[in-house]
Amino acid sequence: TAYIMRQDEKGYLWIGTDNGGVRFDGKTFKELQPIHRADNPEILECTPLSDNRIACIPITGDIYILDHDTVINSVKLPALGKKIPESHNSFSYDPASGVACLWEYSIKDFVYKIEGRGLKRLPNKATRFSLDYCAGNDIIGTDSSRNCVGAYNIVTGRIQAFYHRSGSTVNSLEERLLPPIANCNKLLTYEAERQQLHVYERNKEDSVVQEINRFVFPITLMFSSFISSCNRAGRQYFFYRMPDKHVVYCEDITDRNALENLLDIYIPGLLKNFFVDDHNNVWISSSDNALYFVSEKHINNARRVAGIGLKSGVAKSISGIGRRLCISYPNSNILTYYTASGPRHFRLNDEFSPGPRNIETLSDSNIYFYEGDIGILHPQSNTISYLQIRNRSVKDICLYRSGLLAATHADVVFFEKARGKYTRSTVFEGRSTVVQSMAGGEILVGTPEGLYRKEGLHAPPIRIDAPVWKKQYVTDILFLDDNNALIGTHKGLFVYGSNGSVRKLSDTVKNGFVPPHIRHLYRQDSSILWAATDEGACMLVFDRKWQLQSVHNYTFYDGLPSNNVTSIYTWQDTAYIATADGLGIVPIKDTGIPALAAPRLYIDRLQVGHHTISIPGLRVTLPNDSNELRMVLSAISYESIGNIQYYYRLSPLQKEWIKTAEPEARFSRLPPGSYVFEAYALNAKGVKSKTVRLELSVPPAYWQTVYFRAGLTFLALAGFFILIRWQLRRSEKKRYIALQQKKHMAELELEAIKAQINPHFISNCLNSIQYLNYTTDYEGAQRYLGRFARLIRMTLQYSRKVFISVEEEIAYLSEYLQMEQLRLKKRLRYVIENELEGDTMIPAMLLQPYVENALKHGLSDPLHQGLIKIMFSKSGENLAIKISDNGPGFSDGQSAESMGLRLSSTKALSYSELFNMKVTIQCSNRQESEPGNTGAVVRIIIKSNKKWKNQLPAQSS
């Protein structure tokens, strides 16, 4: 339930309700900050004070003040704690002077003036003075001791009675004081005995009041039936309740003829309160828990309709001759013709019980109307005649030569007048919706399926086909000139040319648009036509070539009772527009329609996460950790009934305007920087508000500052420098290890050469060569010397390699054993067996010391033939090399004496460390594995590892 209404300087409405106080901007109700008390849920009124403060007056409980988001109650100001029902304390605010006062009704205890954020106690010298409302520095009330109306001055504390010019006081027993909602330097009293409302104007200098108006009511009204109001523009009004739930509204109480222009407003419930805002719109709260709104344009339209004496506000069709109007009503067979002497009412026959479908002035002397029949009103004789058409539902009529064409639901009929009578003939078969004739005799017939043309009455119909014309439902036809006709359809307006061409008019032109569903077309003059549509009345302005120049739309927002327009008639500068909910009378000017006032746009509040900034200033600094930003707007244009479009953008992130119907804008994750939020609004008539601006600043977080980034960059560079140094040191270490490996391999090569070319072996070879030369076996000496040279060359070549193939190893060992055979003759026999592939790689110069050791010890007995056997094979995934002889075998400590064996063991260990490969050397006697056989056995196992094969160093050639 809504109680008392107020309006602040911005235009917001503040309403007290039974569920707390609310603020209304025309679209959104915003609840005030609740006060959690069980004894005061109902707020009688919310009065806006200066500096965005709101005084909340509960029906029961303490008065409190909302200062922005801070609650000032009786705890902070004990004077606010007076109980209204018990102590009768009251509150009043005068927006004209900004004075707000709080007092006890009997003025025995206190009078306070609200100043700033506190209360100032005023001098109290009165005893029996009851205060009603505040007017500047005066509190108007009644003095019970003298039974008069007067003023209590809050500065001096004195009471001054009001006097008539005759010197008598304004008697409070005879005239009850009406407290206005807001004072306008007027004094209203009601004299119930004489049923008179007196309007006085105050003279503050001498307290003399002058009666400026008096209203005498035909019925007896109670004092509580009157409520007065004064808007911020200074215009004062009064309402009074009628017993039959009607509210009578008077706009200007200073007008002595105001009672002649009273506006009767029906509301379902009883009037509780009314308010007139600063745009003269009326707000009414009633007992049916509803809030009613009547715009100034609708009020003015209701007055204009009442001014022509129209009893019923609903008109089905309207036409006329000059200022004389002819009106039909829905579901009524009464036709009303308004003349200078008053309205004339004609009862029609039963064919017009739904009410005449349309009224048309086809000539200067007669008015035609039709529904189930066609009637003609003859104004000069005040008579009506009928064509008595049977079983037809007439859709449209037009004059044709000496007769009348009628489009019906079944055909097109021609009524020819001869000797005062009409004869009927069918000129078109099929359902038709409209018919019109041209000056040359051509006839156009509109149907639900399209348009037909007839060269004459008896000519065959020709269907009009055009690319833009696809089975249009034709609703009306109006000839522009002898060559062009305007066609109204359910999908817009089209122009038909005499050559059969059809083109569509532009839907959007200057100042307006053409709605798609056209009902009827009407001509105002040679260049202005009207279209009745489901979205209002359209005034179409053409140039001399019948090109559409502009469209002016008259809708509900211009005071029409409804946008569902059924009929239009214009006379001079006034348009009479019949709608489904009543008649609209709109003054028209050459400049077009009177637009609504521009909306007043405000940034109501700014919500950052869970934090709300009410009424932000021109610049706001946001926290850098905000993820959600919500901007709430308020566009005050009550006449738009919430039909407002909002446009906003956030520069420099957004360059284009964003359109929305919701009064808010949301942004998320704004990067640090400076922004400008801009917004404007369009009301229901497209009038633009002023653009509001709000500067936003998002400071960077500590990790987004220059110093943090510089420090981070320094750390990154330092880390990069350390990484580079670590990489360089690692590379140096790798190079050092590689050099050490090369050095170690060089030492191994040198030791291998030393081991292979030992002095004893060379001495034996040279002795053998000398012996051959001595025995004159020069050929044998040459062969021996050649093998010796090849062996030395192969030794030097393979010693520089890390790995050699099995094929190369066998060639080397064969060369060595063959040379030894030349020296030892038949004492040496050797066998080499190979089960491996020839390109299998093995460590270089690893086997020769073991073969040499076998020769040395296996042939120690000169009478015994020695056998050296070398086998290359696979043992699972590993390589196995076996070197055996048939000598006496190893004795204790023998294997340690050989330099070549020690070198080979060292070399095998080096290969295992350098190339991640495992070389195992096992030495044993044959007797252990082959009982009954003598000799030594050396087994070399090279474990297979795929990694060492990928680590083979480059071989030197």
PDB file of all heavy atoms in Angstrom, residues 33 62-67 69-81 117-119:
ATOM      1  N   GLN A  33      17.274   1.719   2.918  1.00  0.00           N
ATOM      2  CA  GLN A  33      17.950   0.864   3.893  1.00  0.00           C
ATOM      3  C   GLN A  33      16.996   0.548   5.036  1.00  0.00           C
ATOM      4  O   GLN A  33      16.459   1.444   5.686  1.00  0.00           O
ATOM      5  CB  GLN A  33      19.195   1.560   4.425  1.00  0.00           C
ATOM      6  CG  GLN A  33      19.960   0.720   5.433  1.00  0.00           C
ATOM      7  CD  GLN A  33      21.244   1.400   5.848  1.00  0.00           C
ATOM      8  OE1 GLN A  33      21.674   2.339   5.205  1.00  0.00           O
ATOM      9  NE2 GLN A  33      21.846   0.931   6.917  1.00  0.00           N
ATOM     10  N   ASP A  62       9.795   5.533  15.972  1.00  0.00           N
ATOM     11  CA  ASP A  62      10.624   6.733  15.921  1.00  0.00           C
ATOM     12  C   ASP A  62      10.831   7.213  14.497  1.00  0.00           C
ATOM     13  O   ASP A  62      10.949   6.421  13.554  1.00  0.00           O
ATOM     14  CB  ASP A  62      11.994   6.467  16.541  1.00  0.00           C
ATOM     15  CG  ASP A  62      11.876   6.088  18.007  1.00  0.00           C
ATOM     16  OD1 ASP A  62      10.814   6.355  18.593  1.00  0.00           O
ATOM     17  OD2 ASP A  62      12.848   5.534  18.541  1.00  0.00           O
ATOM     18  N   ILE A  63      10.914   8.511  14.339  1.00  0.00           N
ATOM     19  CA  ILE A  63      11.360   9.112  13.083  1.00  0.00           C
ATOM     20  C   ILE A  63      12.867   8.899  12.959  1.00  0.00           C
ATOM     21  O   ILE A  63      13.595   8.957  13.950  1.00  0.00           O
ATOM     22  CB  ILE A  63      11.025  10.614  13.058  1.00  0.00           C
ATOM     23  CG1 ILE A  63       9.508  10.828  13.089  1.00  0.00           C
ATOM     24  CG2 ILE A  63      11.631  11.284  11.820  1.00  0.00           C
ATOM     25  CD1 ILE A  63       9.098  12.276  13.214  1.00  0.00           C
ATOM     26  N   TYR A  64      13.314   8.639  11.723  1.00  0.00           N
ATOM     27  CA  TYR A  64      14.762   8.525  11.513  1.00  0.00           C
ATOM     28  C   TYR A  64      15.112   9.174  10.181  1.00  0.00           C
ATOM     29  O   TYR A  64      14.255   9.387   9.323  1.00  0.00           O
ATOM     30  CB  TYR A  64      15.234   7.070  11.566  1.00  0.00           C
ATOM     31  CG  TYR A  64      14.606   6.160  10.551  1.00  0.00           C
ATOM     32  CD1 TYR A  64      15.168   5.984   9.281  1.00  0.00           C
ATOM     33  CD2 TYR A  64      13.455   5.446  10.861  1.00  0.00           C
ATOM     34  CE1 TYR A  64      14.593   5.140   8.364  1.00  0.00           C
ATOM     35  CE2 TYR A  64      12.872   4.597   9.936  1.00  0.00           C
ATOM     36  CZ  TYR A  64      13.448   4.439   8.686  1.00  0.00           C
ATOM     37  OH  TYR A  64      12.869   3.609   7.761  1.00  0.00           O
ATOM     38  N   ILE A  65      16.383   9.488  10.029  1.00  0.00           N
ATOM     39  CA  ILE A  65      16.880  10.187   8.840  1.00  0.00           C
ATOM     40  C   ILE A  65      17.977   9.341   8.215  1.00  0.00           C
ATOM     41  O   ILE A  65      18.885   8.867   8.915  1.00  0.00           O
ATOM     42  CB  ILE A  65      17.415  11.584   9.207  1.00  0.00           C
ATOM     43  CG1 ILE A  65      16.295  12.454   9.783  1.00  0.00           C
ATOM     44  CG2 ILE A  65      18.037  12.249   7.980  1.00  0.00           C
ATOM     45  CD1 ILE A  65      16.760  13.790  10.299  1.00  0.00           C
ATOM     46  N   LEU A  66      17.876   9.147   6.916  1.00  0.00           N
ATOM     47  CA  LEU A  66      18.925   8.459   6.167  1.00  0.00           C
ATOM     48  C   LEU A  66      19.843   9.511   5.562  1.00  0.00           C
ATOM     49  O   LEU A  66      19.440  10.273   4.680  1.00  0.00           O
ATOM     50  CB  LEU A  66      18.320   7.583   5.065  1.00  0.00           C
ATOM     51  CG  LEU A  66      17.555   6.340   5.515  1.00  0.00           C
ATOM     52  CD1 LEU A  66      17.019   5.592   4.302  1.00  0.00           C
ATOM     53  CD2 LEU A  66      18.438   5.437   6.343  1.00  0.00           C
ATOM     54  N   ASP A  67      21.050   9.576   6.057  1.00  0.00           N
ATOM     55  CA  ASP A  67      22.054  10.490   5.542  1.00  0.00           C
ATOM     56  C   ASP A  67      23.011   9.679   4.673  1.00  0.00           C
ATOM     57  O   ASP A  67      23.946   9.055   5.168  1.00  0.00           O
ATOM     58  CB  ASP A  67      22.798  11.154   6.693  1.00  0.00           C
ATOM     59  CG  ASP A  67      23.702  12.278   6.205  1.00  0.00           C
ATOM     60  OD1 ASP A  67      23.899  12.393   4.981  1.00  0.00           O
ATOM     61  OD2 ASP A  67      24.230  13.020   7.048  1.00  0.00           O
ATOM     62  N   ASP A  69      24.207   6.642   3.365  1.00  0.00           N
ATOM     63  CA  ASP A  69      24.030   5.269   3.832  1.00  0.00           C
ATOM     64  C   ASP A  69      24.067   5.165   5.354  1.00  0.00           C
ATOM     65  O   ASP A  69      24.119   4.062   5.907  1.00  0.00           O
ATOM     66  CB  ASP A  69      25.122   4.365   3.241  1.00  0.00           C
ATOM     67  CG  ASP A  69      24.977   4.219   1.743  1.00  0.00           C
ATOM     68  OD1 ASP A  69      23.828   4.285   1.267  1.00  0.00           O
ATOM     69  OD2 ASP A  69      25.990   4.047   1.057  1.00  0.00           O
ATOM     70  N   THR A  70      24.024   6.299   6.028  1.00  0.00           N
ATOM     71  CA  THR A  70      24.087   6.320   7.488  1.00  0.00           C
ATOM     72  C   THR A  70      22.698   6.577   8.055  1.00  0.00           C
ATOM     73  O   THR A  70      21.979   7.461   7.580  1.00  0.00           O
ATOM     74  CB  THR A  70      25.063   7.400   7.976  1.00  0.00           C
ATOM     75  OG1 THR A  70      26.349   7.163   7.401  1.00  0.00           O
ATOM     76  CG2 THR A  70      25.167   7.385   9.487  1.00  0.00           C
ATOM     77  N   VAL A  71      22.316   5.810   9.057  1.00  0.00           N
ATOM     78  CA  VAL A  71      21.020   5.961   9.703  1.00  0.00           C
ATOM     79  C   VAL A  71      21.177   6.830  10.948  1.00  0.00           C
ATOM     80  O   VAL A  71      21.976   6.516  11.834  1.00  0.00           O
ATOM     81  CB  VAL A  71      20.430   4.585  10.076  1.00  0.00           C
ATOM     82  CG1 VAL A  71      19.097   4.759  10.790  1.00  0.00           C
ATOM     83  CG2 VAL A  71      20.262   3.733   8.836  1.00  0.00           C
ATOM     84  N   ILE A  72      20.440   7.931  10.974  1.00  0.00           N
ATOM     85  CA  ILE A  72      20.405   8.798  12.150  1.00  0.00           C
ATOM     86  C   ILE A  72      19.060   8.563  12.829  1.00  0.00           C
ATOM     87  O   ILE A  72      18.013   8.939  12.302  1.00  0.00           O
ATOM     88  CB  ILE A  72      20.575  10.283  11.762  1.00  0.00           C
ATOM     89  CG1 ILE A  72      21.890  10.489  11.003  1.00  0.00           C
ATOM     90  CG2 ILE A  72      20.510  11.160  12.992  1.00  0.00           C
ATOM     91  CD1 ILE A  72      22.075  11.896  10.493  1.00  0.00           C
ATOM     92  N   ASN A  73      19.073   7.926  14.000  1.00  0.00           N
ATOM     93  CA  ASN A  73      17.839   7.587  14.705  1.00  0.00           C
ATOM     94  C   ASN A  73      17.862   8.163  16.113  1.00  0.00           C
ATOM     95  O   ASN A  73      18.695   9.008  16.452  1.00  0.00           O
ATOM     96  CB  ASN A  73      17.629   6.072  14.713  1.00  0.00           C
ATOM     97  CG  ASN A  73      18.856   5.335  15.232  1.00  0.00           C
ATOM     98  OD1 ASN A  73      19.670   5.911  15.940  1.00  0.00           O
ATOM     99  ND2 ASN A  73      18.985   4.074  14.875  1.00  0.00           N
ATOM    100  N   SER A  74      16.929   7.683  16.922  1.00  0.00           N
ATOM    101  CA  SER A  74      16.782   8.247  18.265  1.00  0.00           C
ATOM    102  C   SER A  74      17.979   7.935  19.154  1.00  0.00           C
ATOM    103  O   SER A  74      18.163   8.595  20.181  1.00  0.00           O
ATOM    104  CB  SER A  74      15.503   7.702  18.908  1.00  0.00           C
ATOM    105  OG  SER A  74      15.545   6.281  18.953  1.00  0.00           O
ATOM    106  N   VAL A  75      18.793   6.951  18.776  1.00  0.00           N
ATOM    107  CA  VAL A  75      19.989   6.673  19.569  1.00  0.00           C
ATOM    108  C   VAL A  75      20.984   7.819  19.425  1.00  0.00           C
ATOM    109  O   VAL A  75      21.611   8.248  20.398  1.00  0.00           O
ATOM    110  CB  VAL A  75      20.610   5.333  19.127  1.00  0.00           C
ATOM    111  CG1 VAL A  75      21.916   5.069  19.878  1.00  0.00           C
ATOM    112  CG2 VAL A  75      19.622   4.192  19.350  1.00  0.00           C
ATOM    113  N   LYS A  76      21.131   8.344  18.183  1.00  0.00           N
ATOM    114  CA  LYS A  76      22.052   9.455  17.955  1.00  0.00           C
ATOM    115  C   LYS A  76      21.411  10.794  18.268  1.00  0.00           C
ATOM    116  O   LYS A  76      22.087  11.713  18.743  1.00  0.00           O
ATOM    117  CB  LYS A  76      22.523   9.419  16.499  1.00  0.00           C
ATOM    118  CG  LYS A  76      23.291   8.150  16.128  1.00  0.00           C
ATOM    119  CD  LYS A  76      23.736   8.167  14.673  1.00  0.00           C
ATOM    120  CE  LYS A  76      24.505   6.906  14.330  1.00  0.00           C
ATOM    121  NZ  LYS A  76      24.943   6.897  12.897  1.00  0.00           N
ATOM    122  N   LEU A  77      20.108  10.929  17.980  1.00  0.00           N
ATOM    123  CA  LEU A  77      19.377  12.160  18.274  1.00  0.00           C
ATOM    124  C   LEU A  77      18.142  11.794  19.088  1.00  0.00           C
ATOM    125  O   LEU A  77      17.129  11.359  18.537  1.00  0.00           O
ATOM    126  CB  LEU A  77      18.967  12.876  16.982  1.00  0.00           C
ATOM    127  CG  LEU A  77      20.099  13.460  16.127  1.00  0.00           C
ATOM    128  CD1 LEU A  77      19.542  14.062  14.855  1.00  0.00           C
ATOM    129  CD2 LEU A  77      20.861  14.517  16.908  1.00  0.00           C
ATOM    130  N   PRO A  78      18.193  11.923  20.401  1.00  0.00           N
ATOM    131  CA  PRO A  78      17.052  11.503  21.237  1.00  0.00           C
ATOM    132  C   PRO A  78      15.755  12.203  20.877  1.00  0.00           C
ATOM    133  O   PRO A  78      14.683  11.644  21.108  1.00  0.00           O
ATOM    134  CB  PRO A  78      17.513  11.866  22.659  1.00  0.00           C
ATOM    135  CG  PRO A  78      19.021  11.843  22.580  1.00  0.00           C
ATOM    136  CD  PRO A  78      19.351  12.356  21.200  1.00  0.00           C
ATOM    137  N   ALA A  79      15.826  13.414  20.287  1.00  0.00           N
ATOM    138  CA  ALA A  79      14.589  14.123  19.953  1.00  0.00           C
ATOM    139  C   ALA A  79      13.775  13.396  18.902  1.00  0.00           C
ATOM    140  O   ALA A  79      12.571  13.625  18.774  1.00  0.00           O
ATOM    141  CB  ALA A  79      14.921  15.534  19.470  1.00  0.00           C
ATOM    142  N   LEU A  80      14.412  12.508  18.124  1.00  0.00           N
ATOM    143  CA  LEU A  80      13.687  11.747  17.116  1.00  0.00           C
ATOM    144  C   LEU A  80      12.890  10.613  17.709  1.00  0.00           C
ATOM    145  O   LEU A  80      12.151   9.934  16.994  1.00  0.00           O
ATOM    146  CB  LEU A  80      14.672  11.171  16.068  1.00  0.00           C
ATOM    147  CG  LEU A  80      15.440  12.190  15.233  1.00  0.00           C
ATOM    148  CD1 LEU A  80      16.459  11.480  14.353  1.00  0.00           C
ATOM    149  CD2 LEU A  80      14.491  13.000  14.365  1.00  0.00           C
ATOM    150  N   GLY A  81      13.024  10.364  18.979  1.00  0.00           N
ATOM    151  CA  GLY A  81      12.404   9.204  19.602  1.00  0.00           C
ATOM    152  C   GLY A  81      11.010   9.424  20.123  1.00  0.00           C
ATOM    153  O   GLY A  81      10.485   8.585  20.837  1.00  0.00           O
ATOM    154  N   ARG A 117      23.189  17.883  10.117  1.00  0.00           N
ATOM    155  CA  ARG A 117      22.968  16.503  10.531  1.00  0.00           C
ATOM    156  C   ARG A 117      22.426  16.406  11.950  1.00  0.00           C
ATOM    157  O   ARG A 117      22.475  15.341  12.569  1.00  0.00           O
ATOM    158  CB  ARG A 117      24.259  15.705  10.406  1.00  0.00           C
ATOM    159  CG  ARG A 117      24.772  15.629   8.973  1.00  0.00           C
ATOM    160  CD  ARG A 117      25.954  14.704   8.863  1.00  0.00           C
ATOM    161  NE  ARG A 117      26.379  14.574   7.482  1.00  0.00           N
ATOM    162  CZ  ARG A 117      27.378  13.785   7.077  1.00  0.00           C
ATOM    163  NH1 ARG A 117      28.049  13.081   7.973  1.00  0.00           N
ATOM    164  NH2 ARG A 117      27.701  13.719   5.804  1.00  0.00           N
ATOM    165  N   GLY A 118      21.895  17.530  12.447  1.00  0.00           N
ATOM    166  CA  GLY A 118      21.372  17.526  13.799  1.00  0.00           C
ATOM    167  C   GLY A 118      20.053  18.257  13.887  1.00  0.00           C
ATOM    168  O   GLY A 118      19.429  18.610  12.885  1.00  0.00           O
ATOM    169  N   LEU A 119      19.597  18.487  15.120  1.00  0.00           N
ATOM    170  CA  LEU A 119      18.347  19.176  15.394  1.00  0.00           C
ATOM    171  C   LEU A 119      18.630  20.403  16.247  1.00  0.00           C
ATOM    172  O   LEU A 119      19.485  20.372  17.138  1.00  0.00           O
ATOM    173  CB  LEU A 119      17.368  18.247  16.126  1.00  0.00           C
ATOM    174  CG  LEU A 119      16.892  17.003  15.359  1.00  0.00           C
ATOM    175  CD1 LEU A 119      15.999  16.171  16.264  1.00  0.00           C
ATOM    176  CD2 LEU A 119      16.146  17.395  14.109  1.00  0.00           C
TER     177      LEU A 119
END
